[in-house]
Every structure is written in structure tokens, then in C-alpha cells.
């Protein structure tokens, strides 16, 4: 790989810390821009910007941008381009480089500097970082704001002729800021421009000025409107906007050019391209109309890359391309999804990012300091909601939802489809979660009925529940956690399944106590374990797992894989207790199986013997979705560095977490049914815009605005009070800006205490066909429920009863599966009851009328290490990090960062402790891992 052996001193060590690093070209050299000046760009200068993030896989991701002011000279601009390439080489040529031109910046670049950047006239000087104002008084400016996700702010001539009907304008005067909305501008654009108003008010006026919102066309009798037009010499009509040229949809037809060593272009292909057209020892330009890519082979030299970049820039100038044509530079192996979309046969393989590998590295860090860590906590396996709620299950049968008896609710069949309703409580508020579970062998008619019937049921309820579509073998961990114990059988109980196999002349695989069967055991503990019936052949085995085999002669074998753990063995014994405690199994370890064991499986064949590893959960991505006719015409646009404020009430957005997706539906969006939202989710999976290899069977959730569950809000720095606001995006932000947010708060929906002054939780009542929900005790623990409900069991009682001796010969087929003899309680599980969930700062779910954004403690309020009020002794970073040569003994290794002083914490984390502990837990862990504190 070509590289530059001489690295600019200013760039040495770049990319080793998270966040932004910025350099400016000054006197033909790079100088570092201090953090206090980040986001302030001078039109006469050229900059290099590096953004570094830590992925969940443990890898660092670098994005490099070079920004050119409109007044920057050619020499500085060329130097910034060369230094960006030099920085890429220093970072291993794995970054993507973007050319940014003032006023035409990419959305990714602008997302680093929310709400906006407002370029300043003049040139950057490192000695002062700013140009002194020449005017003794405040200069009145007129700004135009364009964009509904990121805002392009541009100063225009302070003249009435600058105004139009399609844009949003900000008139910034010494005493008041006017927000003028063109009548043809969108609600989202108006709302985004208000963020710019807030920014100007805080940073230009120190918060001391008035704000006025002016609507185009409404001026009679409004004093603020009169004030606005007085600055323009009085009111006069704005001319009608010329016909707008509709933005042409991006065509996938493109031209590929080979760039020679002399910077000349030779066309290599057009239209649909092939990956084989790109050779590792050459550089190419892909001309895709509104976007130009320069692809640099891995074995090309840095001088060849510089020539290619210069040639591409000269090509743009010679072609007189529009100023909004974006230019990106890619090295082989670091291609973006958009670039790959122009090639028909780009390999869909995704580089493996192994979960256990990353966790192993962390465990090794602990062991270096003398801590023998057998197993790290698995954050993705924990529940984010209370799992002691009420469960109810229906089977789809002949176009209807048929309730499943309580004692049968923990049995699902591959040939059937089910609707699962789960009701749980969070801080006195009752929430509902519906799952549509589709068996792998279910018929198309049952699947369609399951979706339409469940969607209709959900739409008819007043509770705005979450709806999820899941497919067998792709269940999220939370699904298993709320069932707590589950057996998944082959075959089916529905009439359509029975009719289908009869018509096809197929054998009925539905389990009964006379048939042989093989069950794979999985789970994390005895409150979360499953027995999955798999094909009764030896290739279904895996050395990482444990199995139960029921032979044709009634013999029971338990098979322990050589790579299975003691936890797996405990789950196996727990499932035996659950299924039938009277069974006397024959224990078989891998490698010592009797002949009858293999005979039952149809003979011994090869099966997987490597450790069953999980792939890393990818970092989440947020997309806004639009369509013209139906979901099949879906268009998506990524929102970079997203926050809760990007969930605008007029829109539908998809949060892509790779292993599952969430379709978030705003109150004022055009989507009014859960089924329509599910269709959008499926269209998104099919589109696979990031080229991740998304599965069409990935769990798909539909989340309504104002009813976001904790397992959704954990991906944001969530402020629950924002979910209580009424009005469109513009009205909400204007109310906050004017300090009127309380007037727009919506009443608490679906709360059991909504219209009362009652503050204690209501007594839980039995449900007609489910489990009774335990009520919380004053100290936060769970009370055992007083007794079984008329038609069901409490969740904890049903768990306790699993260990009771049963007189049934086969509990798989016995109706007593969930309700063994309650008079015999001679054994209990060793695992403790599930504690009541306490909402964390990262995912609160309190939506009362008195909710306010929690104020952050001051820096003098002391550390908040365990969030329990205990003040810890401070130690230096070098002694608390996991690879310390002189570690501090007897500290809480899960809270190493808490022992740092406030000053050293801010130096390492680039934020105060109070801000850090407001982040979601997964973000905290990512940052701590990068600093060797986790």
C-alpha cells in the first residue's frame, strides 16, 4: 500500500481520541484549531477536519473532510487537500475523505456542528482565532436557512429583494431576532431555522434579546410584523417565486473513468458496472452526476492519489458542474454503500466483527490487572423493561385470533402464527407490547392474517402500544425474556397447517409423546431458557450447545457439547425439571455416545464443532423515510450523529440496529396504521441502503411518538418531557424558545392515575386470560402475588411450580406444562427473583405533567460514581486504567472512571462527569473501552 513516510508534525497522533480534531492552513502550514473555536469557520481559510468514532466492534472509524472557504486562495485549498490525503495515509488508508465547499457542505459534515455553521468573513489566525469587529455597533444581518435535517446558513444582502416565498430567513438585529417563514417553506425547515435563532441568541446576544416569528403573507395588525418590515423601509409585496426546477432523482447510471499517472481520463464503463472493472494498482473516477467519487486502489502510491484528486477537481471545473456536486475519495476496502450501489455484483459479504473477540479483548485487559473474569456481562441480553408483566397469546386460526389457554402459552409451533400481548408497568404507567410471531413452516394465508388481525387489534386500542413482527429463529432476546421459559415445537395446531400437509401428502411433524424428538437448549439463566425442536439428525448438533434427545424406545439422552459451559449445563437440567422431573436421562458427553444415540439420529455425520460465536451488534443508524404512492416507492436519507430532536412529528423514521429495526411514526405524519408502518419497515429491509446484508426476517418494531419504550430510547440521550408536547415541529420549538413549553404539554396518556391525584400504584387486578402483574413494594422489590388468577398463574408462581414433581409421563404433551401440582413445593430455582427495573438517565420513561429535563449537577457537587451518593477517593488515570503497571487495589472495576478527579476526567473524556453519566450506557461503555477503563 502506498504511504507517505513523512507525516506533518501537527498530524502525528491524530485519530487517537474520539470526537473532532480540526486544523487550519495558516502561512502554508497546518495549525491546530482549539476546541473553543470548533464550528467557527472563516471564509478566507481552508481547514482539515477529522471525526473519530468508536464502533461497537471496538474499531475506530475516521471520516476526513477538507473545508474550503469561498474566499480561500488556491494554494491553501490545494494544501488542505494534500494534508487530508496525508492524514488518511497516516490512519491506514481506511477513511473516507470529503471535499466540503462553503455553503454546499454534506449532511455528515454539518451534523458535527449542530445546529449550524455560520462562516465569518476574514482569515483565521491562530494567535487570536477570530477577526476583530471593525464596527463599534452591532451589525444587522440577513441570513437564509435551507434544509430540514441539517441547515445551510448563508448571509445574503440586507435587502427586500433577497426575500422569497420558498425559504426561511433570519433577520439578526441588535435587540431582536426575526424568523421569517416563506409561505412555501416546509414545517421542518421552519423548525430547523428556529434552532439557528436559538444559537444566535445564545452566542451572539448572550441570551439577551427578543425573538419574533413572522409568517409570510400575514401582516395586518401585528406589531412584530411592522417592526420587521420597518428594517426594509416598509412593507412591499414579495415577487412571486420563479418556477422551481424539481430535483431530479439520482440515477444509478454512471460513468467510470481510469485516471492515468498523468491525470488523463480513459472511460472504462458506463451504466451498470462490475466490481472487476476496478484494479488495485489504479485510480478511477466514478461520475454519478450530483456526486463524484475517486476510488484509489490499495497498492497505488500517495503521489498517484494526489494526481487523481487534482484531476477530478479540474474535471469538475471544466465541466462547470453545479456547486452542490459533492466529491468523495475512497480507498479500496473502505467504500461507502452509495458507491457500491453503482456496481451490480459488489460482494454482499460483510466483514466479520465478532462479538466474542471484542469481549475477549476486554476480559484480557481485566486479567492483566489480576482480575480473573470468567464471563463479562452481556448488555445486549438484558431486558430494558419489567419482565414480570401480564402475558396473553392468541393463535391465528381460519382468519381469527383464537386465545391459547394459559397452560399452553409457553408452547409455540413452527407451522402456526401467533399474536402475543405483553402488558408491563413502568413508573405507574401501563404499557402494551404486541408481537406477531410467524412460524417458519406457517402458510402464507396465516401470515397475512396474523399481520392484518394484530395490526387492527393494535390500531383499535387507545393505548398506542408497540407492535413487532418477528420470525421464528430471529427472535430478539427480549421476546424470550418476557416468556421466561419457552418450548418451540415442529408441526402445528392450526387447521390451515393440518389442511396443507394433508393436501401435499406430508407427514405431520407435530410433537406427541410417542415420537422421537431432538431439542436444542439455549438461554442465559433459568428465568430465560428455551427448548427448540430441531431436525432429528446428527448435523443439528453443535459442540457449543446442549441437547435433549427422546428416543423411539422412550429413552432420554442429555448431550453435552465439548464447548458448552456450566451455564449451559444448568439450563439443560432446569429444562429437564420443567419438562418432566420424573425423567431419568442418560448423560452423554460429546465423543462418548452409545450406538443407540446415533441410530436415533439416523447415523453419525459431520456437525459444527467450532465455538458458536455471535456477530457484533452494529452501531445504530437513523433514516428519514418518504414515499409517493406506497411503501414500495420508499426513499430514505440518513441522519448523521442523530439525537432525539431528529424525531420530528411530521415524519416517519427508521432506526436501523442491524439485528432489528424500529419504525418510529410521528403524530403528524401521513402514516395512520400500524400495518402501513410495518410495510415501510419491510421495504426498508429490502432496500438495505447500507449494504449490511439485512435479513428480511429481522425483528421490525413500530413505535408511536409519545410512547417510546425503554428498549428504543436507550439509543438516545432521552428527555421524556419532550414526548409530552403538542403541535407541529415549528410550534413546539417556538414555544420552547419563548419559554412557553408548559402550554403545549399534552396530558399523560394511558396512565392509570391520569385523572386522579393518586400517587401510589393501583392494586394489580387479575386478567381474564393471562398472568397477574406483581405490584412493587415501597423499597422497589417485587411482592409475591397473593394467589393464582382465576384463569392463570402469576409469572413468579408459574416459575416456582416448574420444579414440582409431576405425575405426567411427558410434560411436553401434558396440559400441566405450566401448572404442575401446586401442592408439592419441594424444590425451587436457585436464581433470585427479577428485580424491579429502575429507569436510568439514559432511558427514562416518566411522562407526567411535572416532568422537566433534569438539571445537571455543578462540577463542585462531587463525583457521581455509583449514583448512590458515595464519594470516592480520587486516583490518577495511570493507576485506575485496566492495563496499569501500578493498579489501585479494591476499587469498583465497573466504575474506574469515577475515581478520576474532575480535571483529569474532562481531559480524558472531553466532557464533565455529569454530562458523561447522562449518556446512554452503551455510549458510556464505548468511550470507556477506548480509554482502557472498561
Amino acid at each position: 500500500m502506498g504511504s507517505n513516510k513523512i507525516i506533518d508534525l501537527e498530524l502525528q497522533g491524530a485519530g487517537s481520541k474520539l470526537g473532532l480534531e480540526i486544523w487550519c492552513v495558516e502561512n502554508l502550514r497546518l495549525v491546530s484549531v482549539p476546541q473553543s473555536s470548533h464550528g467557527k469557520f472563516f471564509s478566507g481559510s481552508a481547514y482539515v477536519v477529522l471525526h473519530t468514532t468508536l464502533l461497537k466492534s471496538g474499531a475506530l472509524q475516521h471520516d476526513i473532510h477538507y473545508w474550503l472557504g469561498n474566499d480561500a486562495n488556491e494554494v491553501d485549498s490545494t494544501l488542505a487537500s494534500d494534508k487530508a490525503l496525508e492524514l488518511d495515509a497516516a490512519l491506514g488508508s481506511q477513511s473516507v475523505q470529503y471535499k466540503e465547499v462553503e455553503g454546499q457542505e454534506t449532511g455528515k459534515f454539518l451534523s458535527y456542528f449542530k445546529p449550524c455553521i455560520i462562516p465569518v468573513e476574514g482569515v483565521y489566525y491562530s494567535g487570536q482565532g477570530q477577526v476583530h469587529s471593525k464596527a463599534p455597533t452591532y451589525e444587522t444581518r440577513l441570513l437564509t436557512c435551507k434544509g430540514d435535517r441539517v441547515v445551510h446558513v448563508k448571509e445574503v444582502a440586507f435587502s427586500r429583494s433577497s426575500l422569497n416565498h420558498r425559504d426561511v430567513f433570519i433577520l439578526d438585529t441588535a435587540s431582536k431576532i426575526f424568523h421569517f417563514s416563506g409561505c412555501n417553506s416546509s414545517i421542518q425547515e421552519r423548525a430547523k431555522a428556529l434552532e439557528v435563532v436559538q444559537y444566535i441568541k445564545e452566542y451572539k446576544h448572550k441570551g439577551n434579546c427578543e425573538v419574533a416569528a413572522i409568517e409570510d403573507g400575514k401582516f395586518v395588525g401585528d406589531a412584530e410584523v411592522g417592526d420587521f418590515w420597518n428594517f426594509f423601509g416598509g412593507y412591499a409585496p414579495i415577487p412571486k417565486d420563479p418556477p422551481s426546477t424539481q430535483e431530479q432523482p439520482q440515477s444509478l447510471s454512471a460513468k467510470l473513468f481510469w485516471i492515468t499517472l498523468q491525470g488523463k481520463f480513459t472511460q472504462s464503463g458506463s451504466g451498470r458496472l462490475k466490481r472487476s472493472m476496478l484494479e488495485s494498482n489504479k485510480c478511477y473516477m466514478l461520475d454519478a452526476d450530483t456526486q463524484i467519487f475517486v476510488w484509489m486502489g490499495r497498492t497505488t502510491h500517495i503521489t498517484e492519489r494526489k494526481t487523481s484528486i487534482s484531476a477530478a477537481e479540474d474535471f469538475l471545473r471544466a465541466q462547470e458542474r453545479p456547486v452542490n456536486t459533492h466529491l468523495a475519495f475512497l480507498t479500496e476496502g473502505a467504500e461507502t454503500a452509495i458507491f457500491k450501489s453503482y456496481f451490480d455484483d459488489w460482494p454482499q459479504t460483510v466483514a466479520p466483527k465478532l462479538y466474542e473477540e471484542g469481549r475477549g479483548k476486554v476480559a484480557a485487559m481485566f486479567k492483566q490487572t489480576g482480575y480473573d473474569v470468567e464471563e463479562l456481562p452481556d448488555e445486549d441480553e438484558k431486558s430494558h423493561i419489567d419482565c414480570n408483566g401480564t402475558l396473553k397469546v392468541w393463535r391465528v386460526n381460519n382468519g381469527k385470533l383464537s386465545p391459547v389457554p394459559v397452560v399452553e402459552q409457553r408452547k409455540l409451533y413452527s407451522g402456526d402464527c401467533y399474536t402475543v400481548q405483553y402488558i408491563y408497568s413502568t413508573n405507574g404507567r401501563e404499557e402494551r407490547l404486541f408481537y406477531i410471531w410467524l412460524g417458519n413452516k406457517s402458510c402464507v394465508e396465516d401470515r397475512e392474517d396474523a399481520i392484518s388481525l394484530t395490526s387492527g387489534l393494535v390500531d383499535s386500542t387507545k393505548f398506542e402500544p408497540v407492535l413487532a413482527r418477528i420470525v421464528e429463529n430471529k427472535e430478539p432476546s427480549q421476546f424470550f425474556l418476557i416468556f421466561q421459559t419457552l418450548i418451540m415445537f415442529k408441526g402445528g395446531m392450526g387447521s390451515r397447517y393440518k389442511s396443507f400437509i394433508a393436501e401435499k401428502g406430508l407427514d405431520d411433524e407435530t410433537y406427541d409423546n410417542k415420537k422421537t424428538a431432538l431439542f436444542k437448549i439455549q438461554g442465559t439463566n433459568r428465568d430465560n431458557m428455551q427448548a427448540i425442536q430441531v431436525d432429528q439428525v446428527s448435523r443439528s448438533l453443535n459442540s457449543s450447545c446442549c441437547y435433549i434427545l427422546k428416543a423411539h424406545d422412550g429413552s432420554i439422552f442429555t448431550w453435552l457439547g465439548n464447548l458448552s459451559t456450566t451455564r449451559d449445563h444448568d439450563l439443560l437440567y432446569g429444562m429437564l425439571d420443567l419438562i418432566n422431573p420424573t425423567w431419568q436421562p442418560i448423560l452423554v458427553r460429546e465423543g462418548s455416545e452409545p450406538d443407540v444415540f446415533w441410530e436415533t439420529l439416523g447415523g453419525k455425520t459431520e456437525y459444527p464443532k467450532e465455538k458458536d460465536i455471535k456477530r457484533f451488534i452494529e452501531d445504530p443508524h437513523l433514516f428519514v423515510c418518504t414515499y409517493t404512492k406506497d411503501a414500495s416507492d420508499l426513499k430514505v436519507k440518513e441522519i448523521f450523529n442523530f439525537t432525539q430532536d431528529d424525531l420530528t412529528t411530521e415524519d416517519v423514521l427508521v432506526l436501523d440496529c442491524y439485528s432489528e429495526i424500529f419504525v418510529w411514526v410521528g403524530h403528524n405524519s401521513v402514516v395512520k396504521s400500524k400495518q402501513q408502518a410495518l410495510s415501510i419497515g419491510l421495504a426498508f429491509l429490502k432496500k438495505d441502503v447500507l449494504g449490511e446484508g439485512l435479513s428480511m426476517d429481522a425483528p421490525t418494531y413500530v413505535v408511536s411518538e409519545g410512547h417510546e419504550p425503554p428498549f428504543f430510547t436507550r439509543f438516545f440521550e432521552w428527555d421524556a418531557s419532550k414526548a409530552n408536547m403538542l403541535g407541529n415541529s415549528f410550534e413546539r420549538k417556538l414555544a420552547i424558545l419563548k419559554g412557553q413549553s408548559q402550554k403545549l404539554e399534552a396530558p399523560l396518556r394511558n396512565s392509570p392515575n391520569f385523572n386522579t391525584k393518586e400517587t401510589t400504584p393501583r392494586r394489580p387486578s387479575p386478567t381474564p386470560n393471562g398472568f397477574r402483574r406483581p405490584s412493587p413494594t415501597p423499597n422497589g422489590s417485587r411482592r409475591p402475588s397473593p394467589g393464582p388468577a382465576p384463569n392463570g398463574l402469576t409469572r413468579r408462581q408459574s416459575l416456582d411450580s416448574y420444579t414440582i414433581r409431576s405425575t405426567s409421563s411427558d410434560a411436553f404433551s401434558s396440559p400441566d406444562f405450566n401448572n404442575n401440582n401446586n401442592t408439592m413445593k419441594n424444590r425451587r430455582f436457585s436464581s433470585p427473583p427479577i428485580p424491579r427495573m429502575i429507569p436510568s438517565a439514559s432511558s427514562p420513561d416518566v411522562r407526567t405533567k411535572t416532568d422537566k429535563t433534569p438539571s445537571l449537577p455543578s462540577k463542585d457537587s462531587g463525583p457521581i460514581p455509583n449514583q448512590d451518593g458515595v464519594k470516592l477517593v480520587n486516583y490518577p488515570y495511570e493507576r485506575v486504567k485496566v492495563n496499569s503497571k501500578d493498579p489501585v487495589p479494591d476499587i469498583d472495576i465497573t466504575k474506574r472512571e469515577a475515581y478520576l478527579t474532575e480535571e483529569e476526567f474532562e481531559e480524558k473524556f472531553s466532557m464533565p462527569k455529569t454530562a458523561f453519566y447522562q449518556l446512554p450506557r452503551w455510549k458510556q461503555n464505548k468511550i470507556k473501552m477506548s480509554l482502557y477503563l472498561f
Side-chain angles (χ1 to χ4, degrees), residues 417-437:
C417 296
Y418 296 84
T419 295
V420 177
Q421 176 188 260
Y422 182 64
I423 303 175
Y424 62 98
S425 180
T426 173
N427 294 308
R429 174 171 175 159
E430 192 175 82
E431 296 288 1
R432 281 168 165 76
L433 169 60
F434 280 83
Y435 286 105
I436 303 170
W437 187 87

Side-chain angles (χ1 to χ4, degrees), residues 323-380:
V323 292
N324 62 346
T325 302
H326 290 137
L327 190 55
F329 310 102
L330 316 167
T331 306
E332 182 179 2
E335 296 88 355
T336 63
I338 295 176
F339 177 82
K340 291 187 288 188
S341 69
Y342 291 96
F343 294 80
D344 276 336
D345 60 344
W346 199 280
Q348 290 297 314
T349 55
V350 182
K353 299 173 184 177
L354 302 182
Y355 182 81
E356 293 298 333
E357 179 182 331
R359 287 163 60 82
K361 291 177 182 178
V362 178
M365 293 178 186
F366 280 107
K367 290 183 179 180
Q368 287 178 6
T369 59
Y371 296 100
D372 189 10
V373 181
E374 278 190 21
E375 192 172 318
L376 293 172
D378 194 338
E379 186 174 354
D380 292 317

